[in-house]
Amino acid sequence: MKKIVIFSSLTGNTKKVANSIASALNCKSINYTQISLQELENYDFIAIGFYIDKGDMDSDFKGFTSQIRSKKIGLFITMGGDTNSEYAKNAIDGFKAKFISQGNEILVTFYSQGAIDPKIIEKMREMAKIYPNDERYKITPEKEARWLQASTLPDKTDLENAKNAFLALKI
């Protein structure tokens, strides 16, 4: 089975996971901007990775992946938020439904928390100053602790878990 890992990464989190999965599958890992949809036709299995921003993948990657049809795929996703939250679960279920509706067969799904883009944290701090009485923008000690904890992710354990999720496919 001919395999490839494609990804979209803003901060490097998804790229780290992509490279880990590619190492497990013994195939190449490539940013989606470096490959054409026509080239993807040569592959039997495509591991597709992306980051979630405001509940969705970035628009360019979304357009690219909307044309991937009738493939065996694995999804891997990184996000700054809590991967166990209802928000994350709903987003991931939506991505699965999207790929299935395109005739793809999802063989595995893996998701991991990643570091939050420092620009986003700075924007949150700015919003807190502009709207000091709005609970959505308050910078609490708990929020600071979550940001600090997320800054170390994905870590070695996450990368090992990603490898193991895809190795379990035995493809």
Side-chain angles (χ1 to χ4, degrees), residues 125 128 135 137-147:
R125 291 186 194 290
E135 289 298 319
Y137 303 117
K138 287 205 185 225
I139 308 298
T140 64
E142 294 81 11
K143 192 176 279 187
E144 291 280 1
R146 281 195 310 274
W147 291 345

Side-chain angles (χ1 to χ4, degrees), residues 73-89:
I73 64 172
L75 296 178
F76 61 99
I77 301 160
T78 61
M79 61 185 300
D82 179 4
T83 57
N84 295 315
S85 70
E86 193 66 28
Y87 174 81
K89 182 186 177 319

Side-chain angles (χ1 to χ4, degrees), residues 124-159:
M124 293 169 127
R125 291 186 194 290
E126 289 172 17
M127 296 300 283
K129 289 177 187 173
I130 295 169
Y131 304 105
N133 297 321
D134 190 326
E135 289 298 319
R136 294 176 298 170
Y137 303 117
K138 287 205 185 225
I139 308 298
T140 64
E142 294 81 11
K143 192 176 279 187
E144 291 280 1
R146 281 195 310 274
W147 291 345
L148 181 61
Q149 189 269 336
S151 71
T152 65
L153 302 174
D155 60 17
K156 286 174 111 175
T157 301
D158 295 320
L159 300 179

Side-chain angles (χ1 to χ4, degrees), residues 45-115:
F45 177 81
I46 306 169
I48 301 170
F50 54 94
Y51 61 94
I52 296 178
D53 182 33
K54 298 179 189 92
D56 210 348
M57 62 179 86
D58 75 84
S59 60
D60 291 340
F61 192 60
K62 188 175 188 175
F64 183 86
T65 60
S66 71
Q67 298 177 60
I68 297 174
R69 303 192 178 278
S70 304
K71 290 289 186 181
K72 291 185 185 315
I73 64 172
L75 296 178
F76 61 99
I77 301 160
T78 61
M79 61 185 300
D82 179 4
T83 57
N84 295 315
S85 70
E86 193 66 28
Y87 174 81
K89 182 186 177 319
N90 290 338
I92 291 160
D93 287 347
F95 297 130
K96 286 179 177 177
K98 171 199 179 303
F99 284 103
I100 291 169
S101 75
Q102 294 167 200
N104 297 298
E105 180 183 358
I106 300 173
L107 303 183
V108 63
T109 305
F110 175 81
Y111 41 97
S112 169
Q113 189 173 9

